[in-house]
Amino acid sequence: MTDRVIVHVMVRGRVQGVGYRAWVEDQAILNGVEGWVRNRADRSVEAVFAGSADDVAVMVAACRHGPPAARVDGVTDTPATVDQLALRRPAEEFSVLPTV
């Protein structure tokens, strides 16, 4: 089994108003990944994923494509902290958070 990792992801492109956050939530649940996703005022989408290195890598790769209506221009991923993961709602494995 691979080690647990936490990754912060920023997604740019046409990623708001296309069901991107709901799609990320569905993909995270399917892949057994914890974390959260939210829109940002600059029209990007931000997420934190936690799980096995393999499962998180699958999520980051999926974000590079997104749902059918999305147009992803760029994805950056950097190591994240437990404090960033803790922004999700209590008792939820994965949360869709309000826009910041």
Side-chain angles (χ1 to χ4, degrees), residues 7-19:
V7 174
H8 177 254
V9 177
M10 293 293 294
V11 185
R12 302 200 182 284
R14 189 181 68 218
V15 292
Q16 290 190 19
V18 294

Side-chain angles (χ1 to χ4, degrees), residues 37-70:
V37 63
R38 66 184 172 193
N39 285 340
R40 296 189 55 89
D42 67 359
R43 309 291 293 156
S44 66
V45 169
E46 175 181 27
V48 169
F49 303 129
S52 75
D54 291 343
D55 291 342
V56 169
V58 166
M59 281 301 302
V60 173
C63 285
R64 297 186 191 286
H65 302 284

